Amino acid sequence: WIFVVNGVFHKKYRPVLFLLASLSFLASCRELDMFFDKKVQFIGWEIGFIFPVSAIIYAYKHKRTLRNTLIDFYSSPAFHMMCCAMIIIFPIAQCIGHGPFVRDVLGIQSIAEIKELFEESGETIGYFIILLSSIEFYLSLLKGKK
């Protein structure tokens, strides 16, 4: 929500911020997959793709603004924090949470709870870093206004 609120108040950065918010909303839907699979059975958690698709359409309509603000975003510390979060969420959490890997390392067959602990803990750390990066980007935009 920090990206959305920030996008409402900083029109220049709105396409970038809405793209980031949409990816965060998609990740939320993915984490709530069991809920969506029960409540929205015809599509499941994939309903979350509505957010990135709409943000991409918005960004395409404002592509000139997007191009300029992406350069500012890439040079901000928030971008580097998000890259770190993506490294934690995807390769580290997913690989460490990979069943055969955990079985080989621990030497036991019943690893469902252990695997979930590793994977979910890694993802939580990554999501927390994304939260911190959204705050960092908000603060950098405030500092840029002065």
Side-chain angles (χ1 to χ4, degrees), residues 21-87:
S22 72
L23 294 175
S24 297
F25 290 148
L26 175 62
S28 297
C29 290
R30 177 65 187 102
E31 288 300 319
L32 294 169
D33 59 344
M34 190 182 310
F35 169 79
F36 282 111
D37 289 343
K38 287 181 183 177
K39 299 297 181 188
V40 191
Q41 295 173 354
F42 64 94
I43 194 166
W45 69 267
E46 288 89 353
I47 196 165
F49 280 103
I50 290 172
F51 299 114
V53 168
S54 59
I56 289 169
I57 292 169
Y58 181 83
Y60 183 75
K61 289 181 180 180
H62 299 88
K63 59 186 166 195
R64 183 169 292 137
T65 305
L66 175 69
R67 192 175 318 129
N68 296 333
T69 55
L70 271 177
I71 294 169
D72 291 342
F73 175 66
Y74 290 153
S75 62
S76 73
F79 173 73
H80 302 290
M81 290 174 72
M82 282 189 196
C83 288
C84 178
M86 293 303 111
I87 290 169

Side-chain angles (χ1 to χ4, degrees), residues 1-7 21 24-25 131 134:
W1 284 107
I2 294 172
F3 290 128
V4 172
V5 171
N6 216 0
S24 297
F25 290 148
L131 172 67
S134 69

Side-chain angles (χ1 to χ4, degrees), residues 69-129:
T69 55
L70 271 177
I71 294 169
D72 291 342
F73 175 66
Y74 290 153
S75 62
S76 73
F79 173 73
H80 302 290
M81 290 174 72
M82 282 189 196
C83 288
C84 178
M86 293 303 111
I87 290 169
I88 291 171
I89 292 171
F90 293 113
I92 295 176
Q94 299 303 316
C95 291
I96 290 177
H98 186 63
F101 175 76
V102 176
R103 279 188 198 93
D104 289 343
V105 170
L106 297 178
I108 55 176
Q109 294 303 312
S110 178
I111 52 114
E113 294 85 14
I114 297 169
K115 181 180 101 48
E116 190 171 342
L117 173 72
F118 287 145
E119 186 175 350
E120 297 302 323
S121 297
E123 288 176 354
T124 301
I125 292 168
Y127 292 143
F128 183 69
I129 293 173

